[in-house]
């Protein structure tokens, strides 16, 4: 790609007042770089610009950077054949040596994680999650997607030795007007407030004097909550977090009272377990119903219906989930994924 234009402008979003630096990229025509273009995005008649990248920096929140990718005309035949590569890359970083890291990955949130000296053992790509980098003084940054979460990935390229951010590499075509964003949140190792505006801008998420990985992860979460107009839930706002419950994810999910893990009767299992727990006065407040009670099709293990009507329910819950709920007199936490 060839850089054809660079501009800067100002604006305001959920993080505050920002300066936005925009670059226009072409696959063919080179235009002199100027600073007086009024619009950061090309007009629909401009067929030379195929990619727009931007960085937003915040006047009152210098610990945050946001990175944008825009595809005004879309792209065709883009697949690289792998979910774990990026077909577009912005930003792209050379990571300093001897930085520690923490990364989450896997089929579900918190499914697994890696730690070590970056990039040893790092797993990005389709199942990758937030990446935390830190030095020996606990100066810390958290990097992640901040939009288009299901199609955006981070990947470490061992050939170029760069950490790349972009659209996952098995997307066949990128629609016109598509965009994605990534975010970087940093915190110094000193025990000072990481942002002068955090306590007022992030709905109580500013936590005053803090440092290190945990604090920076908290601040990162606060920024994402703020971006989408969400509030951090109080621990007591969820029955699942506040009270003791019983999860069928353990032994009985694979070994129900009647049948087996494929065609098991969970209705009988839960009724007998409930009777036993009441007899010994265990104060359970909910039951977690694990997967396979809903429609799950064997294409990337995707959920295609999330309701009480799957064919297996005849074996798993012969009288239905509503009937079982009336017998147990406790709420369900229903697994999905």
């Amino acid at each position: 790609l060839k850089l054809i234009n660079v501009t800067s402008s100002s604006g305001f979003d959920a993080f505050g007042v920002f300066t936005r630096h925009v670059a226009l990229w072409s696959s063919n025509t080179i235009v002199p770089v100027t600073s007086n273009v009024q619009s950061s995005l090309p007009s629909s008649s401009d067929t030379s610009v195929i990619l727009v990248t931007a960085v937003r920096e915040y006047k009152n929140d210098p610990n945050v950077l946001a990175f944008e990718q825009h595809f005004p005309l879309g792209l065709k035949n883009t697949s690289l054949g792998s979910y774990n590569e990026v077909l577009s890359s912005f930003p792209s970083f050379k990571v300093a040596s001897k930085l520690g890291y923490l990364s989450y990955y896997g089929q579900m949130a918190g499914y697994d994680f890696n730690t070590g000296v970056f990039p040893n053992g790092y797993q990005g790509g389709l199942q990758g999650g937030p990446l935390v980098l830190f030095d020996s003084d606990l100066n810390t940054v958290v990097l992640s997607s901040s939009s288009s979460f299901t199609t955006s990935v981070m990947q470490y390229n061992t050939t170029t030795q760069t950490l790349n951010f972009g659209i996952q590499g098995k997307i066949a075509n990128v629609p016109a007007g598509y965009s994605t964003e990534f975010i970087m949140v940093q915190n110094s190792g000193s025990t000072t407030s990481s942002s002068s505006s955090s306590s007022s801008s992030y709905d109580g998420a500013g936590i005053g004097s803090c440092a290190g990985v945990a604090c920076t992860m908290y601040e990162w979460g606060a920024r994402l909550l703020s971006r989408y107009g969400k509030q951090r839930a109080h621990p007591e706002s969820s029955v699942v977090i506040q009270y003791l419950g019983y999860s069928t994810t353990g032994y009985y999910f694979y070994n129900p009272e009647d049948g087996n893990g494929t065609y098991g009767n969970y209705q009988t299992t839960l009724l007998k377990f409930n009777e036993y727990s009441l007899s010994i006065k265990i104060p359970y407040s909910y039951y977690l119903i694990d997967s396979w009670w809903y429609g799950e099709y064997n294409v990337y293990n995707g959920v295609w219906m999330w309701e009480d009507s799957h064919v297996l329910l005849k074996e798993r819950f012969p009288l239905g989930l509503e009937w079982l709920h009336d017998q147990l007199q406790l709420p369900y936490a229903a697994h999905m994924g």
Side-chain angles (χ1 to χ4, degrees), residues 137-140 187-194 207-217 219:
D137 294 322
L138 290 181
N139 297 300
T140 306
N187 199 347
S188 67
S190 60
T191 55
T192 58
S193 177
S194 65
I207 51 181
S209 297
C210 63
V213 172
C215 172
T216 314
M217 286 291 286
E219 293 283 359

Side-chain angles (χ1 to χ4, degrees), residues 128-150:
L131 171 64
V132 186
L133 297 169
F134 52 92
D135 64 16
S136 58
D137 294 322
L138 290 181
N139 297 300
T140 306
V141 296
V142 179
L143 301 142
S144 78
S145 303
S146 55
S147 74
S148 307
F149 297 98
T150 59

Side-chain angles (χ1 to χ4, degrees), residues 49-286:
V49 176
I50 64 170
L51 174 65
V52 179
T53 59
V55 181
R56 300 195 307 273
E57 55 180 346
Y58 294 86
K59 179 179 179 181
N60 296 319
D61 200 355
N63 294 325
V64 176
L65 289 175
F67 303 92
E68 310 171 27
Q69 297 180 29
H70 302 272
F71 300 85
L73 304 177
L75 298 171
K76 295 185 180 299
N77 302 317
T78 53
S79 176
L80 302 176
S82 172
Y83 294 109
N84 298 318
E85 297 183 45
V86 293
L87 62 84
S88 60
S89 183
F90 182 80
S92 181
F93 295 128
K94 285 278 190 180
V95 179
S97 61
K98 298 183 179 180
L99 287 183
Y101 82 95
L102 162 67
S103 68
Y104 294 92
Y105 68 92
Q107 300 177 16
M108 296 173 280
Y111 183 83
D112 211 339
F113 65 93
N114 275 332
T115 59
V117 177
F118 191 84
N120 299 333
Y122 171 66
Q123 297 189 43
L126 181 65
Q127 293 192 7
L131 171 64
V132 186
L133 297 169
F134 52 92
D135 64 16
S136 58
D137 294 322
L138 290 181
N139 297 300
T140 306
V141 296
V142 179
L143 301 142
S144 78
S145 303
S146 55
S147 74
S148 307
F149 297 98
T150 59
T151 56
S152 301
V153 300
M154 299 184 292
Q155 170 236 10
Y156 183 76
N157 188 307
T158 56
T159 301
T160 60
Q161 297 185 333
T162 54
L163 180 62
N164 304 318
F165 302 72
I167 299 175
Q168 61 103 332
K170 211 169 182 179
I171 297 293
N173 301 291
V174 179
Y178 187 81
S179 64
T180 187
E181 292 189 12
F182 298 86
I183 189 173
M184 173 192 289
V185 177
Q186 71 92 25
N187 199 347
S188 67
S190 60
T191 55
T192 58
S193 177
S194 65
S195 171
S196 60
S197 63
S198 62
S199 59
S200 59
S201 300
Y202 301 114
D203 193 35
I207 51 181
S209 297
C210 63
V213 172
C215 172
T216 314
M217 286 291 286
Y218 194 97
E219 293 283 359
W220 163 78
R223 290 348 187 260
L224 288 184
L225 288 170
S226 175
R227 188 194 189 295
Y228 291 98
K230 304 293 185 180
Q231 296 182 359
R232 189 180 296 275
H234 192 278
E236 295 183 357
S237 64
S238 169
V239 171
V240 175
I241 296 175
Q242 187 178 6
Y243 297 105
L244 179 67
Y246 180 78
S247 170
T248 61
T249 303
Y251 183 82
Y252 283 120
F253 176 71
Y254 302 98
N255 300 277
E257 182 71 18
D258 296 329
N260 55 50
T262 303
Y263 294 100
N265 186 323
Y266 293 101
Q267 175 178 294
T268 301
T269 301
L270 288 174
L271 286 172
K272 289 187 176 182
F273 185 84
N274 187 61
E275 181 181 0
Y276 171 75
S277 64
L278 290 174
S279 71
I280 61 174
K281 295 182 171 54
I282 298 178
Y284 289 121
S285 296
Y286 68 91

